[in-house]
Amino acid sequence: PAGSIFKILVSMYIESRRPDLAGRHFTCTGKSQDPNLPEKCDKPGGHGELTLAEALPRSCNHFFCSLYAHIDRTDFMEFMRAMNREFGLTIRVPDTADDVSFAKLLAGLDFRATMSVRDAIALARIIDSSHTDNEYSNTGLSILPPPVRMKLQTFLYDTFIHGTAAPNEGETDDASGMPDAFSVWGKTSTYLYGTNSTHACGTFLGGKGDTGIIVVTNGGNGRKAALQALRLIAAGRNAQQEMPEE
């Protein structure tokens, strides 16, 4: 399942086709009176007032669910078909029959929406396509112009500062002491699977500089996957520093 990684695709749609929604203010109180939204957001007490710039790194379910009332379903599906076609992706986007199911899809809560690891790698490279050796630098420019990609990447730098991978008060296992925490961009995702028993899976998609990283954990959550990504980036940097000169 794509999980909350799907919020990146929704954000791409907003910035490229509905930029008027990017500055839309939404107040997340943690609870909703709208019957088409989940009763509670994932953060007790809510995320407060948000625009897209804050909602994406914080992964606010109520913000993204609420977009069902502002996004044309047919236009969004056409955008996703264009993304798959232009970038060679195989992201599966299920049909939605009503506002409730469309709201769930937009927030990444419809686990019928799936992507492969290859899709996740491609998505990271599409977002950070400023490097000359990136095969997506000159691909899909009419669908996803470079300024849109750069803007979303800027939003996602906040994941480790104020977002889903930010330090929590009282926790020792966080990103606060890691030197790469504020120079890595990315998006976390957590989803549950199983029937008789439920298991959690965490995903992180992001990068630093010309290095992209995808972490999928069997168990845990997206936050733990993000911290593992930081450790892997640090380990790679240290290994390069320790390489003997020829």
Side-chain angles (χ1 to χ4, degrees):
S4 284
I5 299 297
F6 198 83
K7 291 184 175 87
I8 293 178
L9 298 164
V10 177
S11 300
M12 288 176 168
Y13 170 83
I14 290 173
E15 288 290 353
S16 60
R17 292 201 178 185
R18 291 293 310 275
D20 57 302
L21 294 177
R24 166 181 169 263
H25 288 264
F26 175 85
T27 301
C28 172
T29 63
K31 296 182 179 181
S32 175
Q33 301 299 319
D34 187 335
N36 294 314
L37 271 60
E39 181 182 354
K40 296 181 180 180
C41 192
D42 57 296
K43 182 178 180 180
H47 292 93
E49 187 172 341
L50 305 163
T51 62
L52 181 64
E54 295 85 31
L56 181 59
R58 289 164 176 78
S59 203
C60 177
N61 286 337
H62 276 182
F63 176 93
F64 282 91
C65 281
S66 72
L67 292 169
Y68 83 89
H70 304 277
I71 292 177
D72 180 80
R73 208 176 303 173
T74 301
D75 190 52
F76 178 74
M77 294 298 285
E78 194 282 324
F79 173 79
M80 288 305 307
R81 286 192 293 270
M83 285 287 294
N84 279 339
R85 181 176 64 249
E86 293 295 320
F87 294 105
L89 304 175
T90 59
I91 298 170
R92 180 179 179 273
V93 184
D95 290 328
T96 54
D98 51 36
D99 289 340
V100 174
S101 56
F102 188 46
K104 287 180 63 178
L105 175 67
L106 295 175
L109 298 175
D110 187 338
F111 295 156
R112 297 177 300 162
T114 60
M115 66 171 59
S116 66
V117 173
R118 178 187 172 279
D119 290 330
I121 294 171
L123 196 56
R125 292 180 66 81
I126 291 166
I127 295 170
D128 187 16
S129 55
S130 59
H131 305 286
T132 56
D133 62 342
N134 190 320
E135 68 269 34
Y136 297 109
S137 296
N138 296 307
T139 302
L141 299 182
S142 61
I143 299 171
L144 211 60
V148 169
R149 306 181 197 194
M150 293 176 62
K151 184 179 286 190
L152 292 178
Q153 186 179 28
T154 300
F155 293 168
L156 291 171
Y157 275 109
D158 200 37
T159 295
F160 286 100
I161 304 172
H162 301 106
T164 52
N168 287 332
E169 185 177 353
E171 287 193 6
T172 57
D173 185 21
D174 60 36
S176 58
M178 299 185 185
D180 297 290
F182 304 125
S183 58
V184 175
W185 62 272
K187 180 74 186 74
T188 65
S189 174
T190 303
Y191 59 88
L192 303 176
Y193 64 96
T195 51
N196 294 331
S197 60
T198 303
H199 303 276
C201 183
T203 305
F204 175 82
L205 176 159
K208 176 184 177 181
D210 60 358
T211 301
I213 187 164
I214 311 294
V215 175
V216 179
T217 64
N218 185 11
N221 52 33
R223 175 182 170 78
K224 293 195 178 209
L227 297 181
Q228 180 63 15
L230 287 184
R231 296 185 188 99
L232 291 170
I233 290 173
R237 183 189 62 250
N238 294 337
Q240 285 186 330
Q241 292 174 346
E242 293 171 3
M243 287 179 63
E245 296 184 2
E246 295 184 357

